[in-house]
């Protein structure tokens, strides 16, 4: 769990806003391992808003749980815009949610390359009756925990913008 009072306050406001509008959220998380869903479900009353969270850490999980085609992963890599988009769209399709956020990235300390360095994270937000949005962030290498925290913060921002 991320211990960040400001982020928890944002999650509380997000849950209230989604609950007031009758909207639901799903998450598809790779490098954050369920931290976004964990943050949201730390808020009392979140059961009215959070439909489900998919932890899709492995490529097989991305395919099995949210329907990312393996050929898409093979062509672009798991940490890529097309895979982030497919994760969000798959989570939306496989849930009762109105909005789904996805995260796939390299939190480190290893696993990076010149093309895909540690700190590269792709996000997508799929919402009913709206085009899927993508955000790429290059956080650098402030450490694994900080990359994951910054990733949760970005995912919350996408969900805030979707309301």
């Amino acid at each position: 769990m991320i211990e960040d009072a400001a982020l928890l306050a944002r999650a509380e406001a997000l849950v209230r806003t989604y609950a007031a509008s009758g909207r639901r959220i799903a998450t598809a998380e790779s490098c954050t391992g369920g931290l976004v869903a964990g943050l949201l479900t730390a808020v009392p009353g979140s059961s009215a808003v959070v439909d489900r969270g998919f932890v899709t850490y492995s490529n097989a999980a991305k395919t099995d749980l949210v329907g990312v085609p393996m050929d898409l992963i093979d062509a672009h890599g798991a940490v890529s815009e097309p895979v982030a988009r497919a994760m969000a769209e798959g989570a939306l399709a496989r849930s009762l949610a109105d909005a789904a956020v996805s995260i796939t990235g390299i939190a480190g300390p290893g696993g990076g390359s010149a093309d895909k360095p540690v700190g590269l994270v792709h996000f997508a937000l799929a919402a009913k009756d709206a085009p899927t949005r993508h955000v790429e962030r290059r956080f650098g290498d402030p450490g694994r925990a900080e990359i994951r925290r910054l990733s949760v913060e970005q995912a919350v921002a996408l969900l805030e913008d979707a309301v």
Side-chain angles (χ1 to χ4, degrees):
M1 183 63 186
I2 293 178
E3 300 298 325
D4 182 322
L7 197 51
L8 182 57
R10 287 175 63 193
E12 290 168 347
L14 186 69
V15 167
R16 280 193 309 273
T17 301
Y18 272 77
S21 66
R23 299 183 75 212
R24 300 195 61 148
I25 295 170
T27 64
E29 303 180 61
S30 186
C31 67
T32 50
L35 289 173
V36 175
L39 175 70
L40 295 173
T41 59
V43 176
S46 59
S47 61
V49 172
V50 179
D51 177 56
R52 65 194 74 191
F54 300 95
V55 176
T56 58
Y57 205 72
S58 69
N59 291 346
K62 288 173 182 64
T63 297
D64 295 345
L65 296 177
V66 293
V68 177
M70 191 55 76
D71 62 346
L72 193 67
I73 296 170
D74 291 341
H76 300 281
V79 179
S80 64
E81 177 179 347
V83 170
R85 287 178 179 275
M87 287 170 62
E89 291 166 357
L92 186 65
R94 289 168 170 74
S95 70
L96 302 174
D98 301 287
V101 67
S102 69
I103 305 168
T104 182
I106 304 166
S113 67
D115 290 338
K116 295 184 179 185
V118 169
L120 171 64
V121 185
H122 287 273
F123 304 84
L125 179 86
K128 291 183 176 177
D129 301 321
T132 301
R133 294 182 50 208
H134 167 260
V135 173
E136 176 185 312
R137 292 285 184 251
R138 292 178 181 260
F139 295 121
D141 191 0
R144 182 176 182 84
E146 182 64 3
I147 290 168
R148 288 164 42 108
R149 188 193 68 74
L150 291 166
S151 295
V152 171
E153 191 173 273
Q154 177 61 63
V156 168
L158 280 169
L159 289 166
E160 288 169 338
D161 289 346
V163 178

